[in-house]
């Protein structure tokens, strides 16, 4: 593999890791507050459809982004009502959201556009364009560092930079602010937070809301930046891969970045190298496509060390009287 090919693979890694990173951070906020959310997939799918649909109708990708975030937030509120207010089973609520989004997006897409559950292709202002950073063209001729800056760091849509900026921001919020301390405490010992006079229910709703916003951005990125429109089930299990990355990262922001980049790298390799000739045999394309999901199973099987979730995770809080 020469240097140019390596840059192309790494560039694809960054693009493919972006929705995983946003969804992983979304789950991190929610689960740190004690609300398990396996509905990340459904929220991303709903956001992908509504962002593409509204962007196609209005011709404005920013309105599409707002619509995607709104759709994801609506599902987050449903999940919050079911798991926080009515103290229902959080896993069942997440599964219901996934099924609801999978069916509803195709149904509405067919009703609105009559293209077999797709939206029209996005062009011009209807999708996010690549941003060329200052000096990228001028520095591209410098050996090694120039191409890295011009091709790997520069040339992404704004949502990519937002996703990577969210990692240090999330670390700062969780570990350097009073809000972050309370959020983490709600996931570990909600009774202690309640005793201190802080609303456990309020904090959990805020966490679920943040989760909805980040999932909305992730879904919008898929449909308006990574691709140019919505297709049926376009998330392709990315929400579940993000959950696996979250467990792999042990609910820590910087580890989440590394885990998502690893999954993104596997997807990039699978897309670029369809068949790998190892001499004695050829690795089939189907195995390469399955690599990210195989790693997901390995991680969830517990081969990466013991990952201990927040102690109050998955348990509805009942205020003592």
């Amino acid at each position: 593999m020469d240097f140019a090919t390596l840059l192309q693979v790494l560039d694809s890694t960054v693009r493919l890791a972006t929705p995983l990173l946003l969804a992983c951070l979304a789950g991190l906020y929610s689960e740190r507050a004690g609300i398990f959310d396996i509905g990340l997939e459904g929220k991303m799918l709903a956001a992908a459809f509504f962002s593409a649909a509204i962007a196609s109708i209005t011709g404005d990708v920013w309105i599409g982004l707002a619509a995607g975030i709104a759709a994801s937030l609506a599902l987050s509120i449903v999940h919050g009502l079911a798991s926080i207010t009515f103290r229902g089973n959080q896993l069942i609520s997440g599964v219901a959201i996934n099924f609801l989004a999978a069916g509803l997006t195709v149904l509405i897409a067919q009703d609105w556009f009559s293209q077999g559950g797709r939206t029209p292709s996005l062009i011009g202002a209807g999708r996010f364009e690549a941003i060329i950073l200052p000096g990228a063209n001028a520095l591209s001729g410098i050996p090694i560092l120039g191409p890295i800056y011009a091709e790997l760091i520069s040339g992404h849509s704004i949502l990519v930079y937002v996703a990577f900026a969210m990692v240090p921001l999330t670390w700062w919020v969780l570990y350097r602010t009073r809000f972050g301390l309370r959020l983490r405490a709600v996931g570990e010992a909600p009774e202690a937070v309640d005793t201190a006079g802080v609303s456990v229910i309020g904090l959990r709703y805020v966490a679920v809301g943040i989760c909805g916003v980040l999932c909305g951005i992730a879904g919008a990125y898929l449909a308006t930046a990574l691709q140019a429109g919505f297709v049926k089930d376009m998330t392709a299990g990315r929400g579940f891969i993000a959950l696996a990355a979250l467990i792999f990262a042990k609910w820590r922001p910087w580890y989440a970045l590394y885990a998502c980049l690893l999954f993104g790298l596997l997807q990039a390799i699978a897309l670029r190298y369809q068949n790998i000739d190892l001499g004695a045999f050829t690795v089939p394309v189907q195995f390469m496509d399955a690599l990210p999901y195989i790693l997901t199973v390995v991680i969830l099987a517990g081969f990466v060390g013991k990952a201990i979730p927040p102690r109050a995770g998955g348990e509805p809080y009942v205020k003592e009287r």
Side-chain angles (χ1 to χ4, degrees):
M1 182 186 297
D2 57 17
F3 183 66
T5 303
L6 177 61
L7 275 183
Q8 292 174 359
V9 171
L10 293 179
D11 182 69
S12 296
T13 297
V14 170
R15 299 175 191 273
L16 293 170
T18 295
L20 298 178
L21 180 58
L22 287 165
C24 187
L25 294 176
L28 189 150
Y29 277 102
S30 182
E31 297 196 9
R32 276 289 191 176
I35 304 298
F36 288 162
D37 192 353
I38 63 172
L40 300 177
E41 178 86 0
K43 294 173 187 175
M44 290 173 64
L45 191 61
F49 166 70
F50 281 100
S51 62
I54 300 303
S56 174
I57 293 171
T58 63
D60 191 326
V61 70
W62 291 102
I63 298 177
L65 174 62
I69 292 175
S72 180
L73 269 175
L75 292 180
S76 290
I77 292 173
V78 171
H79 183 57
L81 287 171
S83 58
I84 301 173
T85 301
F86 297 110
R87 303 167 190 165
N89 187 293
Q90 298 173 8
L91 299 182
I92 293 176
S93 174
V95 170
I97 287 174
N98 289 336
F99 281 114
L100 177 64
L104 202 59
T105 51
V106 176
L107 179 65
I108 299 176
Q110 179 62 21
D111 182 63
W112 286 4
F113 304 107
S114 301
Q115 295 187 10
R118 303 165 62 99
T119 63
S121 296
L122 302 177
I123 57 174
R127 63 172 306 190
F128 285 104
E129 300 292 344
I131 296 175
I132 305 300
L133 297 180
N137 294 327
L139 297 175
S140 60
I142 299 176
I144 300 179
L145 294 181
I148 289 176
Y149 179 71
E151 299 178 25
L152 182 58
I153 299 177
S154 178
H156 300 288
S157 71
I158 188 171
L159 297 185
V160 173
Y161 300 110
V162 168
F164 281 83
M166 281 300 303
V167 177
L169 178 60
T170 297
W171 174 86
W172 180 78
V173 167
L174 289 179
Y175 296 101
R176 290 294 183 270
T177 67
R178 180 179 298 178
F179 168 76
L181 176 62
R182 290 174 173 175
L183 188 73
R184 288 182 289 123
V186 164
E188 297 290 343
E191 64 282 352
V193 176
D194 195 14
T195 302
V198 179
S199 173
V200 173
I201 292 177
L203 275 173
R204 286 188 167 180
Y205 265 109
V206 170
V208 168
I210 295 173
C211 174
V213 171
L214 292 177
C215 280
I217 298 174
Y221 171 80
L222 284 174
T224 62
L226 188 63
Q227 299 184 35
F230 174 85
V231 296
K232 179 183 177 182
D233 297 328
M234 72 179 305
T235 48
R238 285 182 173 90
F240 300 110
I241 294 178
L243 281 175
L246 183 59
I247 297 172
F248 190 17
K250 300 181 179 179
W251 294 270
R252 298 178 182 178
W254 287 107
Y255 290 176
L257 171 62
Y258 307 144
C260 291
L261 285 175
L262 174 60
F263 279 110
L265 177 62
L266 289 177
Q267 290 182 341
I269 292 174
L271 288 174
R272 185 168 185 85
Y273 299 100
Q274 296 294 305
N275 293 286
I276 298 180
D277 187 4
L278 298 179
F281 64 94
T282 300
V283 179
V285 60
Q286 291 83 0
F287 178 80
M288 298 303 298
D289 289 337
L291 261 181
Y293 305 99
I294 293 173
L295 182 60
T296 301
V297 173
V298 171
I299 289 174
L300 293 179
F303 290 107
V304 295
K306 190 174 183 181
I308 302 175
R311 286 185 297 176
E315 299 179 3
Y317 178 67
V318 181
K319 185 179 180 68
E320 296 181 0
R321 297 185 182 277

